[in-house]
Amino acid sequence: MSGLTVRHRRTTALDGVDLDFGTGVHGLLGPNGAGKTSLIRVLATVARPTGGRVELFGGDLTAPRTLRDARRRLGYLPQDFGYYPGFTVREFVAYVAWLKEMPADTTPAAVERAVARVGLADRIDAKIRTLSGGMVRRVGIAQAVVNAPQLLLLDEPTAGLDPEQRVEFRSLLRELGEEATVIVSTHLVEDVAAACTDVTLIERGRVAYRGTPQSLAALGRDGDESDGNTTERGYTAALRAHRTHLTGGGQA
């Protein structure tokens, strides 16, 4: 993306963002309202940019053919995803596969594989309304990966997951990132540190920092060790440096 701008009425959510993502697991960090969800929504093709250019899979996202092709090749889990509580897990994930125009002969096996990857194989025929909040979130992850997407977009995917499930999810992310582009928006710095190959920090619609989790942690090594881990302190240090830069009249 180049010069990506998104405005909501009088609010600028993204302000001329230049970024590119390739194979691997990419973490998006930033405070509430920073613009992370707006970025994810544009890449998921559910929101249109106000300005700038976005290219997915080698095509301009404004082209109808690119748009349809991209929707077949990506997976998306929003913060609050819609589902039919009367559907079973199998039925819902199969429905999403149909929406993505997956071949009918490969869909049943793909559904079972996706559900197994999120640890719900034993609940595949349970009604979604009978599941716990954490299980429903895992159903959301399953529908996002059912088509083996080349671009996987996850907005706060670990919300509602317990610590053991989060560890398993990080392992799944690393596995998926070996062949696909995975972009994870999260407030949980430890998830980024454990699973991501690089991290982008968004602040007030601009890129405040970009680097590896290790380089972000390095920014926090001189802080008070009782005040969170080094990656969390590095996150805070990067934010403060960006704000100081803007206050001094520069641009990030």
Side-chain angles (χ1 to χ4, degrees):
M1 63 201 77
S2 58
L4 176 60
T5 299
V6 175
R7 296 190 182 94
H8 305 300
R9 295 183 180 178
R10 298 182 179 180
T11 302
T12 299
L14 294 171
D15 187 8
V17 170
D18 299 325
L19 283 172
D20 62 274
F21 297 101
T23 303
V25 185
H26 310 275
L28 279 182
L29 289 173
N32 288 330
K36 303 186 303 297
T37 293
S38 293
L39 177 57
I40 291 284
R41 283 173 57 81
V42 168
L43 294 179
T45 76
V46 298
R48 290 181 176 273
T50 307
R53 176 183 171 87
V54 180
E55 186 176 291
L56 288 181
F57 309 116
D60 188 333
L61 198 56
T62 60
R65 181 177 293 182
T66 299
L67 193 65
R68 184 172 181 180
D69 178 61
R71 287 172 175 165
R72 292 194 189 112
R73 298 165 68 181
L74 64 81
Y76 174 45
L77 174 64
Q79 288 189 45
D80 299 305
F81 79 99
Y83 59 91
Y84 298 101
F87 277 27
T88 66
V89 174
R90 186 194 303 272
E91 289 169 341
F92 178 70
V93 178
Y95 171 64
V96 174
W98 175 76
L99 290 177
K100 294 179 181 292
E101 301 180 353
M102 291 180 61
D105 60 335
T106 64
T107 292
V111 169
E112 292 189 1
R113 184 166 54 250
V115 173
R117 293 181 95 173
V118 299
L120 287 177
D122 60 335
R123 304 301 300 273
I124 193 169
D125 291 312
K127 300 280 189 184
I128 297 179
R129 63 169 172 254
T130 68
L131 304 180
S132 68
M135 288 180 179
V136 171
R137 199 65 180 162
R138 284 189 276 163
V139 174
I141 297 168
Q143 64 82 27
V145 303
V146 67
N147 59 326
Q150 293 172 270
L151 171 62
L152 179 60
L153 304 162
L154 303 170
D155 200 352
E156 300 292 346
T158 57
L161 301 186
D162 63 35
E164 182 181 7
Q165 292 164 355
R166 282 172 54 201
V167 169
E168 293 172 351
F169 174 69
R170 292 170 190 165
S171 177
L172 175 59
L173 281 185
R174 289 190 291 267
E175 177 186 334
L176 293 168
E178 292 178 2
E179 296 183 351
T181 300
V182 183
I183 302 177
V184 186
S185 172
T186 181
H187 286 92
L188 299 173
V189 177
E190 59 267 34
D191 284 345
V192 169
C196 296
T197 50
D198 63 69
V199 56
T200 300
L201 177 55
I202 305 290
E203 161 75 343
R204 299 178 185 177
R206 297 183 179 183
V207 177
Y209 174 86
R210 195 165 196 205
T212 65
Q214 294 77 18
S215 63
L216 184 63
L219 296 178
R221 286 181 184 146
D222 294 332
D224 184 352
E225 294 185 3
S226 64
D227 186 20
N229 61 38
T230 53
T231 307
E232 289 173 336
R233 293 197 301 273
Y235 165 83
T236 301
L239 271 182
R240 289 173 177 169
H242 177 68
R243 290 166 181 166
T244 299
H245 183 67
L246 291 181
T247 302
Q251 293 185 353

